[in-house]
Amino acid sequence: MPKSTKTIETGEAPAGHIQSLEKGLRILDEIISAPAPVKLAEIIKRFDMDKASAFRFLQTLEYRGFLRKNAETKEYEVGGRLYYWASQLRQKTRIIDAYHGQLERLANLTQQTAHLGLLVNDRVLLADFAHSNSIVSIQHSIGGVEPIHASAAAKAIVAFLPKDRRERMVEANEFIKFTDRTITTRAELMMDLEMCRERGYAVDAGESYGGLHCVARPVFDAQGEPVASVGISTVTALVGSDSDHFRRITSALELIAGEISRDLAD
């Protein structure tokens, strides 16, 4: 039987978003993801734009260094500015490269989708994931910012931060209600984070997406501070009534998070 995947969409764009900026970023993403340099005509067709508008977007991205145009072929590819950003982020993202294998092991141990959260400048990003061989698999979108009040990947990190930083992030958080189970107040979140610290892991039981269940544990650096989290995502029906299955998941998380933390401490 082929494996079915569930893709999580973020829904409607938030109020106040800038449509022109969104389109420019989508064009940039298209060129980054393309297997070969892209022509103006391809952008026109892909985004259903007129030639003048498409050219202005590409020209602006080229001017800022995000794209490079081949003078002979008139094709566009990734520019030097993005490679500079990548080099600046390399230190922060080395965990992604170094520990993808452990993430795959976690997926195999739990037979659920495993994911990696990464703390970057007071935000938790979904940085990597690995599928299992299970029939049901959750499809994540890499690079998304995880809401600290509704995401196990984020709560597992924030709960173990030094008190002043933890409180600063909670105060700055926007308590958007995603489902009926979403935490919507500072007091509720602080209580939930305290429970995370006591048990050693965080839970998102349908708080960000109805019917989905996530569990995550923090990963600590050599100074004992949380820099990432590893977790699993599954459908609630698979863990909600099976306590033994849930314990196997938390045990696997403890094993993998511990291995990565010890390696970072060396």
Side-chain angles (χ1 to χ4, degrees), residues 11-58:
E12 297 181 359
H17 84 291
I18 303 172
Q19 291 184 351
S20 60
L21 176 59
E22 179 189 2
K23 181 164 287 187
L25 292 172
R26 288 176 60 204
I27 290 172
L28 181 60
D29 185 64
E30 180 77 11
I31 294 173
I32 292 172
S33 303
V38 175
K39 293 180 179 294
L40 172 62
E42 295 174 64
I43 297 299
I44 293 171
K45 181 178 179 181
R46 172 69 178 82
F47 294 95
D48 191 24
M49 300 172 67
D50 62 82
K51 183 177 181 179
S53 296
F55 181 72
R56 285 196 297 270
F57 274 107
L58 293 171

Side-chain angles (χ1 to χ4, degrees), residues 213 235-246:
H213 205 99
V235 293
T236 301
L238 293 178
V239 295
S241 59
D242 188 345
S243 58
D244 288 338
H245 184 47
F246 186 80

